[in-house]
Amino acid sequence: QAQLVESGGGFVQAGGSLRLSCRAQRTILSVFVTDDFSWYRQAPGKQRELVALSDNSGRTHYADTVKGRFTISRDNTRKAVNLQMNNLKSEDTAVYYCHSEKRGYWGQGTQVTVSS
């Protein structure tokens, strides 16, 4: 029943990089190009926050805390949304979620842990 499946999370040292991927399935697969996709993250005890967004017109938005370090992209052939994370910091530690803005689906989340 999952519409979005994330992968690529893991444990990395500060300054390192990770590439997250969100693969569309089922309903979202057929309407991928028309939706806006985003990445959110939630650290323990904190509210879920928007990290990056890519709309169906190619426009992108980044949280100030990650701008210049993270890059969101979408692969319309693979029907996937990626988040390249460079120069990771300890404060980036969180569960990262993929989200379809128009349809309202959420992925199950993938853990990213950055050690100092």
Side-chain angles (χ1 to χ4, degrees):
Q1 62 181 8
Q3 297 287 337
L4 302 170
V5 180
E6 304 101 330
S7 63
F11 191 94
V12 65
Q13 294 182 357
S17 299
L18 284 174
R19 183 180 176 85
L20 306 183
S21 182
C22 171
R23 187 177 72 256
Q25 300 184 100
R26 304 181 79 247
T27 302
I28 292 297
L29 185 64
S30 61
V31 297
F32 182 86
V33 178
T34 67
D35 212 335
D36 306 329
F37 291 89
S38 56
W39 285 95
Y40 287 73
R41 68 185 181 188
Q42 186 167 25
K46 301 292 182 63
Q47 292 187 326
R48 188 170 298 185
E49 63 175 350
L50 177 66
V51 175
L53 181 147
S54 176
D55 69 18
N56 59 14
S57 296
R59 293 171 295 186
T60 59
H61 168 80
Y62 297 93
D64 290 339
T65 51
V66 307
K67 196 166 188 176
R69 299 188 297 120
F70 291 11
T71 302
I72 188 171
S73 62
R74 55 197 298 163
D75 186 335
N76 290 329
T77 300
R78 286 195 62 202
K79 302 298 187 292
V81 182
N82 303 310
L83 183 69
Q84 179 65 47
M85 306 184 294
N86 298 325
N87 191 209
L88 284 161
K89 305 175 180 180
S90 295
E91 49 264 44
D92 294 319
T93 295
V95 176
Y96 284 70
Y97 299 89
C98 182
H99 179 57
S100 60
E101 295 286 340
K102 297 184 184 299
R103 274 75 178 184
Y105 292 109
W106 291 92
Q108 83 287 349
T110 184
Q111 176 71 48
V112 171
T113 302
V114 185
S115 63
S116 59

